[in-house]
Amino acid sequence: MAGAVTIGWGSSVPDNVVTNDDLAKRLDTSNEWILERTGIRERHMGGVTSELAIAAAKEALASAGMEPGDIDLLVLATTTPDALVPGTSAIVQGALGTRGGAFDVNAACSGFIYSLVAAHGFVLAGSKRVLLIGAETLSSITDMNDRTLAVIVGDGAAAVVLEAVPGQGELLSWNLGADGLLRHLLCCEHGGYLFMDGKEIFRRAVRIVVDSAREAIVAAGVTSEQVDLFVPHQANVRIIDAARERLGIPEERAMVTIDRYGNTSSSSIPLALVAAITEGRLHAGDLVLLSGFGAGMTWGSALLRWGG
Ligand code: ACO
């Protein structure tokens, strides 16, 4: 059996920091409302998805001590591609010069978990080193005059390098789910702006995350008390807290980065994961639970034994 372990990581966010007070200067909102209802203090905005992806990927390759030619598969999760065709992964591959295949995954905010599971599947099928990127410029599809969405979204990218190892590797268990009959809750037509039924998504999100996370925990034969770090999709701190409490995971074992990044969709989980690594919150042997949900609707969880 061939598993994979994470050997490199990196992130990139636009320089432009937009605080809640900045938004309140031109929208009917306030720092208090945004902070209390979402947990967001500031977010980075701007840039181009491929450029953020390339910068994050270069950092991840450098931290892994790898050259682009050492990679034999590139998977890029995004809902905000540079163009309809070609995939943003092609632009990133062209700039970096990675070997092997390159493709995009659009599973909205669950995109990184879908890509991670796919990457492990490719390793099982023979890939040796996979560059996995989540990259988004959600601000580019958001009506910045719509206060409900403008205060939530953020831009950024994060990347990891996975390497094949003998044995099981890091991934202990996973599950993915989708319900396309709920696609009207969060959508964006060609050339249009994001639409979100925030209340309805909020109502469903906690149950979805809890059910998916529990499924992964049970499948791995562990308990939630054993989870060392919960790295959830960063959509709203109230969703994170409610899911965490129902799972019985204490606050200090949850990674929260929504305060600094806002909701960055496919990038949110890898940005939180990279922050956890660089802040020394992840150690070899730790049990890490990743859980996400988003447009589609889609959802998914992955339970990792850090370092394999
Ligand atoms: N500033 C001030 N007031 C606001 C704002 C704002 N930015 N936005 C809404 N309000 C007002 C509303 O008009 C409403 O006023 P009313 O009571 O006079 O009618 C009041 O605040 C409460 O509005 P709600 O919509 O009930 O606010 P809620 O507490 O539900 O928070 C939010 C809204 C933050 C959008 C929340 O519903 C949420 O986080 N939903 C889930 C979002 C999510 O998970 N999305 C999935 C991924 S997102 C992605 O993929 C891009």
Side-chain angles (χ1 to χ4, degrees), residues 100-116:
F103 64 93
D104 286 19
V105 170
N106 180 351
C109 308
S110 316
F112 185 77
I113 293 182
Y114 272 64
S115 303
L116 180 77

Side-chain angles (χ1 to χ4, degrees), residues 27-30 33-34 37-38 79 108-109 138 146-149 151-153 186 194 196-203 205 233 235-236 238-239 263 265 293-295 297:
L27 292 171
D28 181 15
T29 189
S30 64
W33 192 95
I34 301 170
R37 307 306 293 167
T38 71
T79 52
C109 308
L138 276 188
D146 172 358
R147 67 176 180 177
T148 54
L149 274 160
V151 304
I152 292 174
V153 301
L186 184 51
L194 259 186
M196 180 175 80
D197 183 342
K199 258 194 197 340
E200 189 56 28
I201 292 181
F202 195 108
R203 206 177 64 76
H233 170 47
N236 188 315
R238 291 184 291 142
I239 296 175
N263 181 343
S265 194
F293 65 94
M297 287 185 75

Side-chain angles (χ1 to χ4, degrees), residues 54 94 150 170 203:
I54 290 163
E170 273 174 356
R203 206 177 64 76

Side-chain angles (χ1 to χ4, degrees), residues 109-110 112-113 158 231-234 264-274 290-293 300:
C109 308
S110 316
F112 185 77
I113 293 182
V231 185
H233 170 47
Q234 312 280 316
T264 57
S265 194
S266 307
S267 306
S268 110
I269 290 176
L271 273 171
L273 186 66
V274 171
L290 312 181
S291 262
F293 65 94

Side-chain angles (χ1 to χ4, degrees), residues 17-37:
V17 177
V18 180
T19 65
N20 291 346
D21 283 334
D22 292 335
L23 291 172
K25 279 180 200 147
R26 48 177 198 78
L27 292 171
D28 181 15
T29 189
S30 64
N31 174 48
E32 293 69 30
W33 192 95
I34 301 170
L35 193 54
E36 187 187 317
R37 307 306 293 167

